[in-house]
């Protein structure tokens, strides 16, 4: 309280001293408390300088070496050139002629590989090298002066003469050794196993290998050499013509002919289509299991479909009954490796098989006998007979060496080679009343050929195209469906131009990496294909929409065929070794 009173007295005294008293003696004097600021005192010198020099530093750049900026720089200050006056037409002050990069000027830092190797080796040999950023040298400057700045690739002439003289001296010394100044046994001069003979007959730095004296082979060595040559000849022959295996066949049915004398492959008399309208299958009705490994292809018997032929990776080809017992009727064994492709002739009495043992075999369906074997030492990926009735003896095969080879089955001779593809040939499809055929290959292209003429008449290749390992012809023969490895089915016209139909594209399935077969229903209303997940997909031809999917196999569903007579029956095969029949 005493302090407050003192403070009040002080303030009264101050006020009285500053203000003249206008009140009466009776009235009490006014009590005014001065204002106090709690903020610390700030040195605003820098701020004042900044404000004062705002107009001066409008275009002054910021020094890049300083660590702290005490004010907020403007955009122009940040982009002002550090050296020299700003160019009137450049944002960063660099003239267009001084610019070789979008951010300004960049010095050339690339060094030619020859120059780099020269300086690198010079530095390791002499201890100095040229600095690429200037016209000076780095490293051992004493050695630089002593060697007169030579490099390993720029030896002066007097140095070259010294080297030649040194070589000549070495040769003279060798001649002295051999010539007889030192006592040398004359037998050693003629002995190729001696060092003296090597020194005398040395032709190059690599000719220092001692040669043993040739002696006659022993009986055991001769015998081994003959056996080795024989094996090599046999191996070369097998590589050239394909591996040979004894052809065998086994009939599994009750009897090969019935009581009327008809063969087991004869079609039933009542086998005919009830109507032309096809339906999508809904459920599995039968499974054929007989292959010990995956099934790579299936084909229905032509026109009737009462038998189905299957090619297995277990080297066997089997034919199954579809209409009656549903059992395996015959097994054909003639390949030593997996069978890649199969193809019936027009009447189904014969068929072709192509195996990874580089052989193509022509079989009799009924007896199981091999009629002919063809091979050029390459793996056949696809085999086809010419569909014309008068050309059923002409065989076409797409090979792994980029060729399509044509054979005459009657003579066994190759009659034509179509050699234009850049990769293994995957498919052969006849179009235009069998006058032309279309081939697809691993080179991601389609090529159209005139039958018998090895010249491409149409070449289809676009940057967006993928490999097409399976192609099928529409029943009306106007369209080709090609299984593209980017998980879609593309449609090409078979008219003169062979154009891609951009309006029709079937997708949804996963086939990347697998040569899944694509096919049509007999009336052309549905497109179907297997996929890598074991499903069989069905699309509507007009709308291109997915109609149905059926889970058929564990693993890859590689092949699918629509029954030629039964409107809603489809067979599929997969790498699980099974053949499924759906209705």
């Amino acid at each position: 309280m005493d302090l407050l009173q003192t403070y009040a007295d002080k303030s009264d005294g101050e006020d009285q001293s500053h203000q003249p008293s206008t009140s009466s003696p009776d009235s009490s004097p006014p009590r005014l408390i001065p204002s106090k600021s709690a903020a610390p005192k700030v040195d605003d010198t820098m701020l004042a300088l900044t404000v004062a020099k705002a107009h001066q530093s409008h275009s002054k750049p910021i020094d890049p070496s300083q660590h702290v900026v005490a004010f907020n720089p403007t955009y122009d200050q940040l982009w002002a050139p550090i050296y020299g006056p700003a160019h009137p037409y450049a944002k960063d002050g660099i003239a267009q002629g001084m610019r070789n990069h979008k951010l300004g000027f960049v010095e050339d830092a690339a060094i030619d590989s020859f120059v780099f190797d020269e300086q690198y080796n010079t530095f390791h040999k002499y201890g100095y090298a040229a600095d690429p950023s200037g016209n000076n040298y780095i490293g051992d400057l004493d050695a630089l002066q002593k060697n007169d700045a030579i490099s390993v690739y720029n030896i002066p002439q007097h140095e070259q003469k010294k080297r030649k003289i040194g070589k000549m001296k070495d040769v003279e010394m060798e001649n002295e050794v051999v010539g007889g100044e030192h006592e040398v046994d004359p037998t050693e001069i003629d002995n190729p196993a001696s060092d003296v003979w090597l020194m005398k007959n040395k032709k190059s730095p690599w000719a220092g290998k001692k040669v043993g004296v040739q002696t006659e082979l022993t009986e055991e060595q001769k015998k081994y050499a003959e056996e080795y040559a024989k094996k090599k000849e046999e191996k070369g022959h097998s590589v050239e013509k394909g591996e040979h295996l004894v052809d065998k066949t086994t009939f599994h049915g009750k009897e090969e002919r019935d009581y009327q004398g008809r063969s087991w492959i004869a079609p039933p008399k009542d086998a005919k289509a009830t109507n032309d309208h096809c339906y999508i299958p809904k459920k599995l009705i039968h499974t054929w299991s007989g292959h010990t490994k995956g099934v790579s292809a299936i084909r229905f018997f032509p026109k009737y479909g009462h038998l189905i032929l299957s090619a297995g990776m277990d080297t066997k080809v089997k034919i199954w009954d579809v209409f009656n017992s549903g059992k395996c009727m015959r097994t054909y064994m003639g390949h030593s490796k997996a069978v890649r492709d199969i193809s019936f002739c027009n009447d189904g009495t014969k068929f072709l098989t192509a195996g990874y043992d580089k052989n193509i075999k022509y079989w009799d369906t009924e007896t199981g006998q091999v009629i002919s074997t063809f091979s050029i030492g390459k793996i056949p990926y696809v085999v086809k007979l010419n569909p014309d009735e008068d050309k059923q003896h002409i065989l076409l095969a797409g090979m792994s060496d980029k060729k399509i080879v044509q054979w005459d089955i009657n003579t066994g001779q190759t009659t034509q080679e179509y050699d234009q593809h850049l990769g293994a040939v995957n498919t052969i499809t006849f179009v235009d009343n069998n006058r032309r055929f279309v081939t697809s290959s691993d080179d991601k292209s389609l090529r159209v050929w005139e039958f018998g003429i090895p010249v491409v008449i149409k070449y289809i290749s676009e940057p967006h195209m993928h490999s097409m390992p399976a192609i099928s012809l529409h029943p009306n023969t106007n369209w080709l469906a090609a299984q593209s490895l980017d998980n879609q089915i593309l449609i090409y016209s078979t008219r003169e131009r062979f154009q891609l139909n951009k309006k029709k594209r079937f997708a949804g399935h996963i086939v990347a990496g697998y040569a899944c077969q694509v096919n049509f229903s007999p009336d052309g209303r549905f497109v179907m294909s297997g996929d890598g997940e074991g499903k069989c997909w069905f699309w509507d031809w007009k709308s291109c929409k997915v109609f149905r999917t059926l889970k058929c196999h564990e693993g890859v569903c590689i092949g699918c065929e629509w029954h030629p007579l039964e409107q809603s029956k489809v067979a599929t095969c997969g790498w699980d070794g099974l053949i499924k029949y759906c209705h």
Side-chain angles (χ1 to χ4, degrees):
M1 292 299 290
D2 295 334
L3 288 171
L4 288 173
Q5 186 64 39
T6 310
Y7 184 81
D9 293 342
K10 263 187 190 177
S11 61
D12 291 346
E14 286 175 7
D15 293 338
Q16 287 172 6
S17 62
H18 288 289
Q19 288 183 340
S21 180
T22 55
S23 59
S24 64
D26 299 331
S27 63
S28 61
R31 297 178 179 178
L32 296 174
I33 299 174
S35 62
K36 295 285 182 180
S37 175
K41 202 165 187 180
V42 178
D43 183 11
D44 57 353
T45 311
M46 191 65 194
L47 181 62
L49 288 172
T50 305
V51 173
K53 294 183 178 181
H55 296 288
Q56 296 178 10
S57 63
H58 181 68
S59 60
K60 185 180 178 182
I62 295 172
D63 186 5
S65 62
Q66 70 183 25
H67 297 286
V68 178
V69 179
F71 61 96
N72 289 334
T74 62
Y75 175 80
D76 291 324
Q77 282 177 281
L78 286 172
W79 285 93
I82 297 170
Y83 303 109
H87 194 273
Y89 302 116
K91 198 72 163 173
D92 50 3
I94 301 174
Q96 194 66 32
M98 294 293 292
R99 179 191 300 272
N100 63 0
H101 190 267
K102 63 182 179 180
L103 297 180
F105 180 77
V106 180
E107 290 186 2
D108 187 12
I111 301 174
D112 189 69
S113 60
F114 174 78
V115 176
F116 177 82
D117 290 341
E118 181 186 17
Q119 297 305 323
Y120 178 82
N121 294 320
T122 302
F123 185 81
H124 278 274
K125 185 172 182 181
Y126 299 117
Y128 59 85
D131 185 357
S133 63
N135 294 324
N136 57 335
Y137 283 83
I138 57 170
D140 190 354
L141 299 180
D142 296 332
L144 176 73
Q145 292 179 350
K146 183 181 175 182
N147 294 322
D148 198 18
I150 63 167
S151 70
V152 289
Y153 297 154
N154 187 19
I155 301 171
Q157 284 200 346
H158 65 270
E159 283 285 331
Q160 294 178 8
K161 285 181 181 177
K162 281 183 185 177
R163 292 190 177 188
K164 284 183 182 177
I165 293 167
K167 284 183 180 179
M168 290 172 66
K169 284 183 179 178
D170 291 341
V171 172
E172 287 173 5
M173 287 177 66
E174 290 173 11
N175 292 336
E176 285 177 5
V177 170
V178 176
E181 286 189 11
H182 302 281
E183 290 186 5
V184 178
D185 189 356
T187 57
E188 288 192 2
I189 297 175
D190 298 328
N191 184 8
S194 65
D195 292 329
V196 178
W197 185 90
L198 286 173
M199 291 290 286
K200 184 179 178 182
N201 295 279
K202 187 167 70 172
K203 296 178 183 177
S204 71
W206 297 276
K209 192 176 178 182
K210 291 188 178 183
V211 180
V213 181
Q214 185 70 28
T215 58
E216 287 191 8
L217 295 174
T218 63
E219 290 296 326
E220 190 178 349
Q221 288 174 331
K222 284 180 181 177
K223 188 178 179 182
Y224 178 80
E226 288 173 4
E227 288 178 0
Y228 179 76
K230 193 175 180 181
K231 281 182 183 176
K232 196 170 183 182
E233 188 179 347
E234 288 176 0
K235 189 177 179 184
H237 182 73
S238 68
V239 167
E240 184 184 352
K241 287 296 180 186
E243 300 173 18
H244 180 67
L245 191 73
V246 178
D247 303 314
K248 294 187 294 183
T249 182
T250 306
F251 183 68
H252 305 288
K254 289 183 179 179
E255 49 191 1
E256 296 195 18
R257 295 192 176 272
D258 64 3
Y259 68 98
Q260 290 183 331
R262 290 178 302 187
S263 170
W264 63 274
I265 68 164
K269 289 185 177 180
D270 57 346
K272 58 182 179 180
T274 53
N275 58 44
D276 296 334
H277 200 77
C278 290
Y279 304 93
I280 299 289
K282 297 178 180 177
K283 60 182 179 180
L284 176 69
I285 57 172
H286 190 72
T287 301
W288 289 290
S289 59
H291 287 283
T292 56
K293 292 184 181 177
V295 181
S296 54
I298 51 172
R299 300 286 183 268
F300 274 112
F301 196 91
K303 298 178 185 174
Y304 300 101
H306 64 291
L307 299 170
I308 187 167
L309 190 69
S310 64
M313 296 180 189
D314 56 357
T315 74
K316 296 175 184 176
V317 178
K318 292 177 178 285
I319 193 162
W320 314 78
D321 185 17
V322 176
F323 275 4
N324 300 318
S325 63
K327 294 180 180 177
C328 179
M329 298 300 291
R330 190 181 278 281
T331 301
Y332 308 88
M333 295 166 284
H335 290 280
S336 60
K337 291 185 180 176
V339 184
R340 163 86 187 204
D341 192 32
I342 48 178
S343 178
F344 272 113
C345 68
N346 283 359
D347 58 3
T349 56
K350 301 173 186 67
F351 65 89
L352 289 163
T353 59
Y356 282 100
D357 57 357
K358 304 174 184 174
N359 286 326
I360 300 168
K361 291 184 182 285
Y362 192 45
W363 302 79
D364 186 290
T365 311
E366 183 181 357
T367 63
Q369 299 300 313
V370 174
I371 301 167
S372 310
T373 301
F374 309 94
S375 178
I376 61 165
K378 302 296 177 185
I379 299 172
Y381 281 176
V382 57
V383 284
K384 270 283 171 62
L385 288 171
N386 190 309
D388 283 340
E389 290 295 339
D390 59 338
K391 294 188 180 71
Q392 284 284 286
H393 62 284
I394 295 175
L395 157 66
L396 288 174
M399 314 301 283
S400 60
D401 65 343
K402 315 167 191 175
K403 295 179 183 177
I404 300 111
V405 183
Q406 181 176 313
W407 276 279
D408 188 327
I409 292 176
N410 297 336
T411 62
Q413 301 296 317
T414 57
T415 56
Q416 192 61 269
E417 277 191 359
Y418 307 84
D419 186 9
Q420 291 283 317
H421 275 293
L422 305 175
V425 181
N426 292 321
T427 65
I428 299 172
T429 311
F430 280 89
V431 297
D432 194 16
N433 294 324
N434 308 325
R435 288 179 296 188
R436 297 173 180 165
F437 62 93
V438 182
T439 58
S440 68
S441 164
D442 286 347
D443 61 6
K444 303 179 183 178
S445 71
L446 295 176
R447 294 173 200 250
V448 186
W449 313 76
E450 200 85 39
F451 178 73
I453 303 171
V455 180
V456 174
I457 61 171
K458 181 73 177 180
Y459 169 58
I460 305 165
S461 181
E462 298 290 340
H464 60 78
M465 283 174 63
H466 287 67
S467 182
M468 298 178 184
I471 290 180
S472 185
L473 185 66
H474 193 277
N476 66 11
T477 70
N478 292 333
W479 305 100
L480 286 174
Q483 184 80 267
S484 179
L485 286 188
D486 58 346
N487 299 327
Q488 59 181 343
I489 297 170
L490 303 177
I491 306 298
Y492 288 88
S493 167
T494 59
R495 302 292 181 187
E496 291 296 322
R497 299 181 68 184
F498 288 90
Q499 279 184 312
L500 174 66
N501 188 338
K502 295 180 180 177
K503 293 181 180 178
K504 286 197 182 297
R505 175 180 163 275
F506 303 93
H509 58 323
I510 307 295
V511 291
Y514 305 108
C516 295
Q517 184 185 356
V518 58
N519 225 316
F520 289 96
S521 61
D523 62 353
R525 289 178 58 237
F526 300 108
V527 182
M528 69 172 175
S529 166
D531 78 346
E533 298 174 346
K535 296 177 184 174
C536 187
W537 291 67
F538 298 89
W539 292 269
D540 183 62
W541 168 254
K542 286 186 177 178
S543 66
C544 300
K545 292 181 180 178
V546 178
F547 206 94
R548 184 173 296 154
T549 59
L550 293 174
K551 176 69 174 175
C552 297
H553 297 273
E554 295 296 328
V556 182
C557 176
I558 200 75
C560 56
E561 285 260 333
W562 207 295
H563 197 284
L565 297 182
E566 300 282 349
Q567 289 79 18
S568 64
K569 291 185 179 176
V570 167
T572 62
C573 66
W575 286 2
D576 55 0
L578 302 176
I579 304 162
K580 301 285 184 79
Y581 197 39
C582 301
H583 176 60

